[in-house]
Amino acid sequence: MAFRTIIEPFRIHSVEPLRLTTEEQRREAIRRSGHNLFALDARDVLIDLLTDSGTGAMSRDQWAAIQHGDESYAGSPSWHRFADAVRVLFPFKHIIPTHQGRAAEKILFSAVGGPDLVIPNNTHFDTTRANVEYTGAEAVDLVIEEGRRPQDEHPFKGNMDLDALDRLLTERKGSVPLVMVTITNNSGGGQPVSLENLKGVRAVCDRHSVPVFLDACRFAENAWFIREREEGQGGREVADIVREIAALADGMTMSAKKDPLANIGGWLAMNDDDLAERCRNLLILTEGFPTYGGLAGRDLEAIAQGLAEAVEHDYLRYRIRSTAYLGDALHRAGIPVVRPIGGHAVYLDARALLPHIPPLEYPGQSLAVALYEAGGIRGCEIGTVMFGLQPDGSEQPAAMDLVRLAIPRRTYTQSHIDYAIEVVTAVAERAGDLRGMRIVSQPSALRHFTATFEPV
Ligand code: F0G
């Protein structure tokens, strides 16, 4: 490339106005929301980096595909277009559509989970962990040591610790129905898993005759990192890398709200006929008939088209470089962030930035609230609020206290991101003034969505 500037490889076709607010209005809004950013009205948010899930912009061709949506209850042409598009990248025998990723998780773990069982993962996402634990099974995270140290540089910090996996499969022989690998590792900083590591997981699981399932939400970003960082992969098509990843697994769960560039949808896929039949029966109970699984025909069309766009190199180059643009600028400003920068988000290390706030006073929550008050930026705590509550009701500090600034796909421009850099930098400059939080009320599971807080 002759020029350094990475441009958005699209131009704007339809605009959505943003509503500007004052700091005073935002202080009032967050107080009314019990200092929980999930409780805010989105119209009170200026730059919404809460999640990259379902919040991206669809393309002209996706909107056009929506017009082809066929709403037949069974056997719709849109179903075939969806299943064919999934199989181009993930050629599993059985494709089971669901309304989003956690529905696929709920069905899968209802089928294979249960008391006394254990499900390892590099790092379980919160809904995955909750769906495992809901069946009485134990969810274990086995990411490599580097993956737990925010400042360590490593090209594939999402990798599974293969020795730990081997030990677990030996010690808990007969109690592990499947091994999950999350690509990219969202809860560990959006960090990729290498092809070599995936082959290693496959080999360990083969030795113990245990199936491997992918939590593949950000498969295209993970494959791009493999292309960029792994030896011998640089000349390959991302779609080929994705197919190689799929061939290393026995099945997958997916949220189409991430890399497939849709606003809703997901699927569960596998090769095992018997498991597929059990899952389809559960699907009919809770999601819908197996050719639509809780989705409209038009949603299936949007996902099919999105999958083709998700593996385009110009898009992925822009996607990964623009996330790094935010993270690298904050790093250069001396703000502690998870290194290297992940695919879909920048993770601020709140525990390092706010050493005066103990983990059980939720430094991540405190930072997230401050970013909103200062600049209308909504991020998401990924730390002790999200993971600290134990199944027995006790509380422990999470491995890290992070604030995730997730970047919706194809949605914000470089000036929005420049503004975000300015806001984070201004808040970091007065980090010493921030105070911890105390929980006022909370539910018994997934508390981060609805808990309320007050400053200590
Ligand atoms: N697995 C991973 C790795 C995820 O990041 C998510 C969702 C899911 C499963 C569940 O999918 O939302 O369609 O039910 N992550 C979103 C996030 C919510 O903000 O990271 P879903």
Side-chain angles (χ1 to χ4, degrees):
M1 281 289 176
F3 301 101
R4 281 179 43 244
T5 307
I6 302 296
I7 64 164
E8 290 85 3
F10 49 79
R11 56 187 183 185
I12 292 162
H13 171 71
S14 163
V15 299
E16 259 184 280
L18 290 177
R19 183 169 156 268
L20 301 172
T21 49
T22 64
E23 182 158 351
E24 197 183 358
Q25 286 170 323
R26 294 192 291 267
R27 283 187 187 281
E28 174 54 24
I30 195 72
R31 198 192 51 75
R32 273 200 318 269
S33 305
H35 295 92
N36 186 329
L37 293 122
F38 285 99
L40 285 170
D41 279 336
R43 63 191 292 277
D44 293 330
V45 177
L46 186 57
I47 309 283
D48 205 346
L49 308 182
L50 182 68
T51 175
D52 64 321
S53 180
T55 52
M58 287 208 294
S59 68
R60 171 193 66 189
D61 294 339
Q62 284 178 291
W63 285 109
I66 277 178
Q67 290 297 330
H68 291 272
D70 179 303
E71 306 303 340
S72 302
Y73 189 91
S76 154
S78 299
W79 150 250
H80 290 295
R81 180 146 189 264
F82 164 84
D84 291 347
V86 171
R87 280 207 184 88
V88 165
L89 295 169
F90 303 99
F92 292 111
K93 190 164 172 201
H94 302 281
I95 313 283
I96 300 174
T98 61
H99 81 275
Q100 62 184 87
R102 68 198 69 184
E105 294 162 3
K106 171 82 170 99
I107 290 170
L108 177 64
F109 295 119
S110 300
V112 305
D116 303 325
L117 301 178
V118 51
I119 312 278
N121 201 330
N122 44 355
T123 312
H124 288 275
F125 181 65
D126 58 353
T127 59
T128 321
R129 170 173 288 278
N131 273 302
V132 167
E133 289 173 351
Y134 189 73
T135 72
E138 191 187 340
V140 176
D141 295 338
L142 298 178
V143 75
I144 55 169
E145 204 41 51
E146 290 88 340
R148 298 175 200 271
R149 291 197 295 260
Q151 318 297 331
D152 278 20
E153 296 278 350
H154 184 290
F156 293 102
K157 277 175 106 168
N159 281 355
M160 185 84 86
D161 181 336
L162 298 177
D163 292 335
L165 180 64
D166 195 43
R167 266 197 309 280
L168 182 91
L169 291 176
T170 306
E171 281 162 15
R172 304 289 299 266
K173 197 172 174 52
S175 304
V176 184
L178 58 84
V179 170
M180 293 287 287
V181 187
T182 304
I183 58 170
T184 57
N185 189 24
N186 183 10
S187 307
Q191 301 290 329
V193 179
S194 71
L195 208 46
E196 188 192 7
N197 188 254
L198 285 164
K199 288 177 188 163
V201 171
R202 174 81 264 170
V204 172
C205 288
D206 279 346
R207 271 207 301 284
H208 294 272
S209 303
V210 172
V212 178
F213 270 63
L214 301 167
D215 177 346
C217 297
R218 299 176 181 87
F219 70 95
E221 293 169 6
N222 199 102
W224 181 261
F225 280 121
I226 287 174
R227 186 177 187 275
E228 294 268 282
R229 296 182 183 171
E230 195 161 346
E231 215 177 305
Q233 303 300 320
R236 293 183 72 185
E237 278 295 315
V238 162
D240 280 340
I241 298 174
V242 173
R243 281 185 283 270
E244 185 174 352
I245 292 172
L248 290 167
D250 300 288
M252 68 188 295
T253 57
M254 176 61 110
S255 168
K257 305 173 74 169
K258 281 77 170 182
D259 275 358
L261 294 166
N263 299 124
I264 196 72
W267 67 86
L268 172 62
M270 65 208 53
N271 290 326
D272 185 309
D273 296 334
D274 186 54
L275 177 62
E277 189 183 330
R278 282 186 290 140
C279 289
R280 281 208 182 91
N281 289 338
L282 287 170
L283 183 86
I284 292 172
L285 202 62
T286 57
E287 289 280 294
F289 190 72
T291 64
Y292 74 85
L295 294 168
R298 56 178 168 274
D299 300 324
L300 295 168
E301 293 277 352
I303 297 166
Q305 176 59 30
L307 279 172
E309 296 174 16
V311 293
E312 283 174 8
H313 289 194
D314 287 349
Y315 159 67
L316 284 169
R317 182 178 298 110
Y318 142 79
R319 170 74 178 156
I320 299 301
R321 290 286 291 273
S322 58
T323 303
Y325 175 83
L326 169 61
D328 289 340
L330 298 176
H331 180 60
R332 276 196 305 276
I335 296 162
V337 294
V338 174
R339 300 285 303 165
I341 304 305
H344 67 296
V346 172
Y347 294 69
L348 309 176
D349 185 349
R351 198 176 286 173
L353 184 67
L354 307 173
H356 58 291
I357 302 180
L360 293 181
E361 288 182 10
Y362 318 119
Q365 192 66 21
S366 170
L367 180 59
V369 166
L371 295 176
Y372 172 71
E373 288 178 345
I377 291 175
R378 174 156 69 169
C380 180
E381 194 263 10
I382 299 206
T384 303
V385 174
M386 193 179 270
F387 296 116
L389 187 61
Q390 306 303 304
D392 68 2
S394 67
E395 211 173 348
Q396 272 174 26
M400 302 187 260
D401 276 296
L402 307 175
V403 173
R404 184 184 71 171
L405 304 178
I407 318 290
R409 293 172 180 77
R410 306 187 294 203
T411 302
Y412 290 112
T413 65
Q414 188 168 338
S415 71
H416 293 122
I417 299 300
D418 284 333
Y419 170 83
I421 293 166
E422 222 183 308
V423 172
V424 177
T425 308
V427 169
E429 274 164 10
R430 53 175 186 80
D433 300 342
L434 268 54
R435 286 182 297 156
M437 294 273 168
R438 151 168 64 232
I439 289 183
V440 177
S441 68
Q442 61 177 328
S444 58
L446 295 175
R447 66 177 178 176
H448 53 288
F449 290 124
T450 53
T452 59
F453 302 84
E454 64 188 13
V456 172

